[in-house]
Amino acid sequence: MVRVSSLAGTVCLAATAAAYDVGLKQFPQEARDNFNVLKYLGGYGPYVQRESYGIARDPPPSCEVDQVIMIKRHGERYPDTDTGEEIEELLDLLYSSVSEFRDDLAFLNDWTYYVPNACYYEAETFTGPYSGLADAYSQGADYGQRYGHLLPKDGSVVPLWSSGYERVINTARKFGEGFFGYNYSTGAALNIISESEAQGANSLTPTCDTDNDSSICDSLTYYFPQFDVAAARFNSQNPGLNLTWGDVYTMMTIAAFELNARASSPWIDAFTADEWVAYGYSNAQWYYYCAGPGDKNQNAVGAVYVNASLTLLNQGPEEAGKIYLNFAHDDNITPIIGALGILTPNEDLPIDTIAFGSPWTIGDIMSMGGHLTIERLKCNATVATEEGSYVRLILEEAVVPYFSCQSGPGYSCPLANYTELVSASLPDFITSCNVSASYPQYLDFWWNYNTTTDLNYMTGPLGCQVTETLV
Ligand SMILES: *[C@@H]1O[C@H](CO)[C@@H](O)[C@H](O)[C@H]1NC(C)=O
Ligand SMILES: *[C@@H]1O[C@H](CO)[C@@H](O)[C@H](O)[C@H]1NC(C)=O
Ligand SMILES: *[C@@H]1O[C@H](CO)[C@@H](O)[C@H](O)[C@H]1NC(C)=O
Ligand SMILES: *[C@@H]1O[C@H](CO)[C@@H](O)[C@H](O)[C@H]1NC(C)=O
Ligand SMILES: *[C@@H]1O[C@H](CO)[C@@H](O)[C@H](O)[C@H]1NC(C)=O
Ligand SMILES: *[C@@H]1O[C@H](CO)[C@@H](O)[C@H](O)[C@H]1NC(C)=O
Ligand SMILES: *[C@@H]1O[C@H](CO)[C@@H](O)[C@H](O)[C@H]1NC(C)=O
Ligand SMILES: *[C@@H]1O[C@H](CO)[C@@H](O)[C@H](O)[C@H]1NC(C)=O
C-alpha cells in the first residue's frame, strides 16, 4: 500500500492502481464563447490584458531585464467634450420620446448619467474598480515590483515623460506614485513634453500634416447591419422611439464609458454579443486606417519613438540609463505598433465585413491604460542560446514575438537582429511628414531632461474642458 494524496484528501490505494478522481479534470474543456465584452469596447472601455500566446511574462530563467522602455496611454477616462455632447443629445432624445421604458431599455427608468458635470469631460475617472487614476497607480505599483531593481541605489533622480495633456500628465503622476512609492516626491522628475506640432520629432505626440491622401480614414462610416438590428429591437420594444443605427452606436459608446466610472453598466446588457463584435471591429478600422498601418504616413509617425528607442537599447543601461517611462494617447501608440510591424495584417482590413482572426484585433491592442513595453534582456548562455542582449515587446502585458526573430530565450530577438529587422523597414518621419526644418528633427528629450521635481504633483484644480494644460 502507498499513500497518495489527491484533491479529495489522502487515500490508500493498491500500489498498482493510479489515483483517479472520477470526473475531476486537470484542465477545463470549456472556453465558452471566449467572450469578454471588454475586448469589444473599441478602445473606449476599461483596460484589458492582451490574450497571451502562452509565453511567460516574467523574464526567462537565464535572463534579467536590464533596461525597460514603456509608453502608456492615459488611464480610463470620462468621454471627451464632443462625445459628451453627442451622449447628452441622445439621452435627451430618449427621455423626450418615451415616458416608461420597457424590455432591454427598462433600466433607463431609474438610470442616471455617470458624468457629474461637464468639467469632468476629458479627465481621468476616479470612482469604481476600473477608475483611471487607480489603473495608473496600480500599474505603477506592479511595475515597481517588476522593474524596481533598475532604480538607482544612490537615490539619484529618475525622469518620467508625459505629453502635455492634463489627463496624460495625471496618469504619469499616479503611475509615478505607484512606481516610486515614498520616493516619488524626491526621486522622480516629471518632464512634460508639449503636444504642439512645433515640437517636430522631439515629441511623444508627433503629427503628420502630409496626410493628404483623402485616405480611407475620412470615408469610414463604421456602419454594420447589426446596429440596425439593435435599433429595430429597441424601437419595437418602446413605441415612440425611432432610433437609427447611429443612435445605437452612441448608446454603445455610453455603455463603454460607463464602466470607466462604475463597477457595472446596464447598457452593456442591452446589446447582444454579435452587436458588440461589430462595435469593436468598427473601432479597429479607425485605429487601422487613421492611426495605424492602414494610413500611408502613420508608420512614419511611430518611427520617431521606435528609432529613438533603438538608440537607447543599443547604448544600453550603462550609457543611456535603465528606466524610460512615457505617457501619451492611444493614437500615439498604435503608430508605434505599426512601425514595429508586429501586428500588421497581410491585407488591409475590409470595410464591410469583419476580419475575424486578423492580428489587428483592437481588443488585444488598445484599451484605456493600454501600454507597450520594450524590455532589454541580459541573458546567460543556455544549451540553445548564446550569452548576450535580447529584446522583447510586451503589449497589454502579453509578450508579442516576431515571426522572423524569436531565437532568443523566451522567444526574444537578439538585440543586433532586432536592430537590423526594425531599422530595415523604418520610414523617415521628417521627409514622409514634410516636417518643417525649423522644428526639432529628432527625439532628444530622453537624453536632455529636467531633474527638477516641480511638476510632480497637480497644483491647481482640475482644468475644465481644457485641451492643453502645461502644468
Ligand atoms: C548569469 O550568470 C551569472 C554568473 O554565474 C550569475 O551571477 C547571474 O545571476 C546569472 N543571471 C541569471 C539571470 O541567471
Ligand atoms: C528611496 O531612496 C533611497 C535613497 O534616497 C534609497 O535608499 C531607497 O532604497 C529608495 N527606496 C525605494 C523603495 O526605492
Ligand atoms: C524643464 O524645466 C524648465 C524650467 O523649470 C521648464 O521651463 C521646462 O518646461 C521643463 N521642461 C520639461 C520637459 O519638463
Ligand atoms: C501628398 O503627399 C505626398 C508626399 O507624402 C506627395 O507625394 C503627394 O503628391 C501629395 N498628394 C497630394 C494630392 O497633394
Ligand atoms: C423615423 O425616422 C425616419 C428618418 O430617420 C423617418 O423616415 C421615419 O418616418 C420615422 N418614423 C417614424 C415612425 O417616426
Ligand atoms: C534616430 O535616432 C538618433 C538618435 O536618437 C538620431 O540621431 C537620428 O537622427 C534618428 N533618425 C531618424 C531618422 O529620426
Ligand atoms: C541574427 O543575425 C545573425 C548575424 O547576421 C544571423 O546569422 C542570424 O541568422 C540572425 N538570427 C535571426 C533569428 O534573425
Ligand atoms: C512641405 O511643407 C512646405 C512648407 O513647410 C510646403 O511649402 C510644401 O508644399 C510642403 N510639401 C508637401 C509635399 O506637402
Side-chain angles (χ1 to χ4, degrees):
M1 298 284 276
V2 289
R3 295 182 74 83
V4 180
S5 74
S6 78
L7 287 179
T10 302
V11 295
C12 293
L13 294 172
T16 49
Y20 179 54
D21 288 301
V22 176
L24 188 69
K25 295 168 179 169
Q26 187 176 5
F27 304 104
Q29 287 177 289
E30 305 83 24
R32 307 292 172 197
D33 289 331
N34 226 352
F35 186 81
N36 176 348
V37 79
L38 297 186
K39 296 273 185 191
Y40 301 95
L41 301 181
Y44 291 136
Y47 175 72
V48 58
Q49 285 186 349
R50 178 179 172 80
E51 189 178 340
S52 153
Y53 297 114
I55 304 170
R57 174 65 180 88
D58 288 337
S62 59
C63 307
E64 63 183 25
V65 176
D66 69 0
Q67 191 182 46
V68 64
I69 309 168
M70 179 201 78
I71 184 162
K72 179 177 168 70
R73 183 190 190 185
H74 55 75
E76 290 75 357
R77 62 168 170 85
Y78 293 105
D80 59 34
T81 310
D82 290 347
T83 307
E85 274 168 20
E86 266 172 52
I87 290 174
E88 289 184 36
E89 272 170 35
L90 184 75
L91 292 174
D92 286 347
L93 173 72
L94 288 169
Y95 284 114
S96 63
S97 309
V98 174
S99 52
E100 169 135 22
F101 290 92
R102 299 207 195 114
D103 298 324
D104 290 347
L105 298 182
F107 70 88
L108 278 173
N109 294 321
D110 47 27
W111 181 81
T112 54
Y113 190 28
Y114 46 80
V115 182
N117 68 59
C119 274
Y120 290 96
Y121 283 138
E122 309 276 350
E124 298 289 277
T125 57
F126 52 89
T127 52
Y130 305 110
S131 138
L133 293 180
D135 167 339
Y137 186 91
S138 72
Q139 197 207 331
D142 180 25
Y143 271 40
Q145 178 166 354
R146 196 174 274 294
Y147 301 117
H149 66 283
L150 300 175
L151 284 166
K153 305 282 182 275
D154 62 1
S156 54
V157 170
V158 175
L160 308 169
W161 294 268
S162 170
S163 73
Y165 208 88
E166 188 170 39
R167 62 175 173 257
V168 180
I169 298 168
N170 285 330
T171 299
R173 288 170 174 154
K174 282 289 169 223
F175 184 102
E177 289 183 54
F179 187 80
F180 293 90
Y182 297 114
N183 280 1
Y184 176 67
S185 55
T186 53
L190 183 61
N191 282 247
I192 298 176
I193 312 298
S194 164
E195 295 192 352
S196 159
E197 187 182 356
Q199 286 286 130
N202 195 23
S203 176
L204 285 168
T205 57
T207 51
C208 198
D209 271 352
T210 320
D211 233 350
N212 59 354
D213 50 342
S214 58
S215 62
I216 294 175
C217 171
D218 299 325
S219 59
L220 290 172
T221 65
Y222 308 108
Y223 168 77
F224 279 93
Q226 284 76 10
F227 303 140
D228 283 333
V229 174
R233 182 171 70 247
F234 299 146
N235 291 341
S236 84
Q237 290 172 346
N238 291 278
L241 281 189
N242 188 15
L243 301 173
T244 64
W245 77 264
D247 297 328
V248 164
Y249 198 92
T250 304
M251 291 160 86
M252 297 178 96
T253 304
I254 299 176
F257 277 108
E258 182 162 36
L259 288 179
N260 296 339
R262 289 179 177 159
S264 65
S265 170
W267 287 95
I268 297 281
D269 296 332
F271 303 96
T272 65
D274 286 12
E275 288 153 11
W276 282 117
V277 168
Y279 183 82
Y281 185 72
S282 67
N283 283 289
Q285 290 180 335
W286 184 84
Y287 282 104
Y288 183 77
Y289 285 110
C290 306
D295 177 278
K296 74 174 169 59
N297 292 316
Q298 289 295 315
N299 283 358
V301 169
V304 172
Y305 183 94
V306 172
N307 174 58
S309 59
L310 273 176
T311 306
L312 289 181
L313 292 166
N314 281 286
Q315 286 180 341
E318 275 74 39
E319 190 184 342
K322 299 177 179 177
I323 303 179
Y324 288 84
L325 301 168
N326 304 278
F327 301 85
H329 301 266
D330 53 351
D331 53 353
N332 311 124
I333 302 174
T334 48
I336 297 171
I337 295 166
L340 288 167
I342 32 173
L343 297 172
T344 304
N346 292 330
E347 287 170 19
D348 277 337
L349 292 189
I351 301 304
D352 50 7
T353 52
I354 295 181
F356 290 106
S358 167
W360 197 263
T361 302
I362 211 64
D364 277 329
I365 294 180
M366 186 49 62
S367 49
M368 295 290 179
H371 49 273
L372 171 74
T373 304
I374 306 175
E375 284 183 350
R376 184 182 189 272
L377 301 172
K378 181 180 157 198
C379 302
N380 288 333
T382 70
V383 292
T385 54
E386 287 173 11
E387 180 184 348
S389 295
Y390 295 83
V391 178
R392 292 211 303 190
L393 303 176
I394 292 137
L395 182 59
E396 318 287 56
E397 294 305 299
V399 176
V400 184
Y402 278 97
F403 282 154
S404 57
C405 188
Q406 48 182 248
S407 60
Y411 302 98
S412 60
C413 179
L415 174 59
N417 297 76
Y418 173 84
T419 304
E420 196 188 328
L421 174 73
V422 172
S423 343
S425 60
L426 216 51
D428 181 54
F429 172 64
I430 301 298
T431 51
S432 302
C433 295
N434 194 25
V435 175
S436 163
S438 64
Y439 296 160
Q441 304 290 295
Y442 57 91
L443 191 157
D444 181 53
F445 55 76
W446 281 340
W447 294 271
N448 287 299
Y449 51 82
N450 287 344
T451 52
T452 59
T453 56
D454 303 350
L455 304 176
N456 283 15
Y457 294 94
M458 213 170 148
T459 49
L462 185 69
C464 192
Q465 296 185 47
V466 290
T467 51
E468 169 132 5
T469 308
L470 290 174
V471 182

